[in-house]
Amino acid sequence: MRDCVTARGFPLVRAGLLAGLIVLPACDRILNYTEQQHIERARESQRHGKFYAAEIELRNALAKNVNSADARWLRGQILVELGRGVEAEEELKRARDLGMSAEALKVPLGNALLFQKQYRRVMDEIKVAPESTQANAARILEIRGRAQLGLGSYKVGCALFDEAKQKDPSQVPAYWGQALCDLGMGKMADARGRLQEALKIEPKNGRTWTLLGDLERGANRPEEATKAYGTALEYLPEDLDARLGRAAVRLMQRKWKDAEADINYVVGHSRGHYLAVHLRGVLAFGLGRYVDAKNLFQVALRSNTDYAPTYLWLGFTEYELQNYETSASYLGQFLARQPNATRVHALLALVQTRRGGGPE
C-alpha cells in the first residue's frame, strides 16, 4: 500500500495535484475489490509462489465477508505453505463449520497436522473415502505415509508412498516420499532418480528442487546443491526451506555474507524459526564469536529440543570456550540421538581427557 502514501515513489509534498489525481483512485481500486476479486488475486499470488501476498489478499477478503468458506479454506492452504500449522488447522475448521466439504479439507488439514507432528491424528482423521477421487486418494495416501514415518513405521510409510504413486502417477509428492525412503536405505542414486522423475512431471515444482538441493547437500556436492536451491527460489521465491538449505551450503563454503543474507531473509519472514537461529549460531561460530554462538544455539534448542545438530554445535562451542564438562554433556546428548556418529565418539573421548577424566 506504499503508493497510497507516495505517488510512485515521490513524496506527497512534491507530488501536489498528481497525488489527488493518481494516488487516491489507486487506493480506491484496492479498497473496492470484492471478496471474490481478493480470492482470485490470492490464487494468482499462490500460483507464483507469493504466499505472503496471497495471505494478505485473503485477510482482505475475510474483512469483506467473515463467513466466506472459500477464503478460509484457501487461507488454510496458504498458512500450510507458510509453515503455520496451528493457524492453518484453525482456519480449516472454520471453513468446515461454514460448509466446506470434508473431502476438500483432508489434504490441507493433513498437511497442517503434519507440521504440528500430530501423526496419530493424521492416521485417525485423514482417510481415503469412497467419494475420494484418484488424485485426492493419492494425496491422502502420501500424507498418511509421512505420518507413518513420523510414528516410526518406516515400512508401512514407504508402502503408502508406493500405493499413492500407483493410484495416480502424476502426483509429485508420492515421488518425494519414495525418495525419502530410498535415502533411508542409503540409495542416494535411486533417490536422485525419483526426484528427477518428479521434475519430468512438473519441471517448475519448487518443492522438488528444494528436496534435490537437500539431497545434493547431503551428498557433499555444494555446487549442485546451490544450483538446485537457486532454481527452487525462481519458482518459489518465498520458500524458507530453500533459503535455509542454501544458507547451510554457504556456511560450509565459508561464504559468510551470502549465508547471512539467506538467514536474515528467513528470520524476517518467520516467527523465530529454530533452524534460522541455529544457522545464525553456526555463522557466529565460524566467525569465532563463540559466546554469541552459544547463546544462539541455546535459543534454538529451547524452540526444538529434538534437533540433534544443535547439541553437537553446542558441544563444539563449549569446547572452544574451554568448558569441557559442559561440552562433554552436549556431545553425549547428541550421541544419544545419533549413536553411530563415530567421529563424535572420538571427539567426546578427547573432551573427557581434557576435563581430567577418561572415556566412560
Side-chain angles (χ1 to χ4, degrees):
M1 297 292 288
R2 182 165 46 191
D3 286 346
C4 294
V5 180
T6 63
R8 303 298 180 190
F10 294 100
L12 284 177
V13 293
R14 296 175 58 190
L17 182 61
L18 186 63
L21 295 177
I22 297 178
V23 178
L24 294 179
C27 293
D28 287 343
R29 283 198 301 274
I30 294 171
L31 293 171
N32 289 330
Y33 285 139
T34 65
E35 167 201 342
Q36 194 57 42
Q37 285 174 318
H38 281 301
I39 291 174
E40 289 306 316
R41 286 167 63 86
R43 292 188 190 281
E44 183 65 18
S45 293
Q46 181 187 34
R47 280 191 287 272
H48 290 89
K50 297 180 179 179
F51 302 119
Y52 295 100
E55 205 263 332
I56 290 171
E57 291 291 350
L58 292 167
R59 281 195 273 121
N60 287 334
L62 289 167
K64 297 288 176 67
N65 178 10
V66 71
N67 293 319
S68 172
D70 287 341
R72 293 202 178 277
W73 175 70
L74 185 56
R75 185 166 184 255
Q77 294 182 55
I78 296 299
L79 290 170
V80 167
E81 295 287 355
L82 295 173
R84 290 153 59 183
V86 174
E87 292 174 74
E89 181 186 358
E90 292 172 352
E91 200 72 306
L92 292 165
K93 286 180 177 178
R94 292 191 186 102
R96 178 197 61 197
D97 294 342
L98 291 167
M100 184 61 63
S101 74
E103 191 65 21
L105 289 166
K106 286 180 181 178
V107 170
L109 181 57
N111 282 317
L113 293 175
L114 287 174
F115 266 112
Q116 301 174 62
K117 299 184 180 181
Q118 298 282 346
Y119 306 126
R120 179 52 57 193
R121 284 187 58 196
V122 171
M123 299 309 299
D124 292 341
E125 301 175 26
I126 312 300
K127 300 178 181 180
V128 177
E131 64 270 21
S132 299
T133 64
Q134 289 285 97
N136 220 41
R139 295 167 74 189
I140 291 167
L141 289 168
E142 183 271 332
I143 287 169
R144 289 174 64 83
R146 280 187 282 153
Q148 288 288 4
L149 294 189
L151 291 168
S153 300
Y154 182 83
K155 289 185 178 179
V156 176
C158 293
L160 284 168
F161 297 138
D162 294 340
E163 187 180 351
K165 183 178 175 181
Q166 292 170 6
K167 185 77 69 174
D168 185 355
S170 68
Q171 287 298 321
V172 164
Y175 294 82
W176 301 344
Q178 289 183 318
L180 188 61
C181 290
D182 288 333
L183 283 174
M185 294 184 286
K187 299 179 179 179
M188 182 76 71
D190 289 347
R192 186 180 289 109
R194 302 279 196 189
L195 296 177
Q196 289 169 346
E197 283 185 73
L199 287 171
K200 289 178 182 177
I201 299 169
E202 293 182 13
K204 297 182 179 181
N205 190 303
R207 302 293 186 208
T208 305
W209 282 106
T210 296
L211 290 171
L212 185 59
D214 292 342
L215 184 150
E216 300 296 6
R217 176 163 57 92
N220 198 26
R221 290 159 45 120
E223 298 303 326
E224 290 83 353
T226 299
K227 182 178 179 180
Y229 289 133
T231 305
L233 291 167
E234 289 179 20
Y235 303 128
L236 284 177
E238 296 170 350
D239 185 10
L240 302 187
D241 289 336
R243 297 270 180 187
L244 288 168
R246 190 169 68 178
V249 174
R250 287 171 165 175
L251 288 171
M252 290 166 53
Q253 298 174 309
R254 298 178 177 272
K255 296 180 178 179
W256 308 125
K257 289 186 178 179
D258 291 338
E260 187 173 24
D262 277 333
I263 294 168
N264 287 343
Y265 181 93
V266 176
V267 170
H269 290 79
S270 66
R271 301 179 179 184
H273 198 301
Y274 74 92
L275 273 178
V277 179
H278 171 87
L279 290 178
R280 268 191 165 171
V282 176
L283 175 63
F285 184 96
L287 295 173
R289 302 200 305 262
Y290 301 123
V291 173
D292 291 342
K294 174 180 176 177
N295 292 335
L296 287 163
F297 289 136
Q298 288 176 335
V299 170
L301 201 60
R302 286 196 292 270
S303 298
N304 186 349
T305 58
D306 295 328
Y307 190 60
T310 303
Y311 292 96
L312 179 62
W313 280 96
L314 271 167
F316 293 158
T317 304
E318 293 287 17
Y319 180 83
E320 293 294 339
L321 292 170
Q322 299 183 12
N323 298 326
Y324 301 124
E325 188 79 28
T326 312
S327 175
S329 174
Y330 281 125
L331 293 174
Q333 291 179 74
F334 170 80
L335 288 169
R337 293 163 173 80
Q338 301 286 337
N340 296 324
T342 55
R343 291 184 180 180
V344 180
H345 280 287
L347 176 61
L348 178 57
L350 172 64
V351 173
Q352 289 169 335
T353 300
R354 289 290 177 90
R355 74 177 182 176
E360 296 175 357

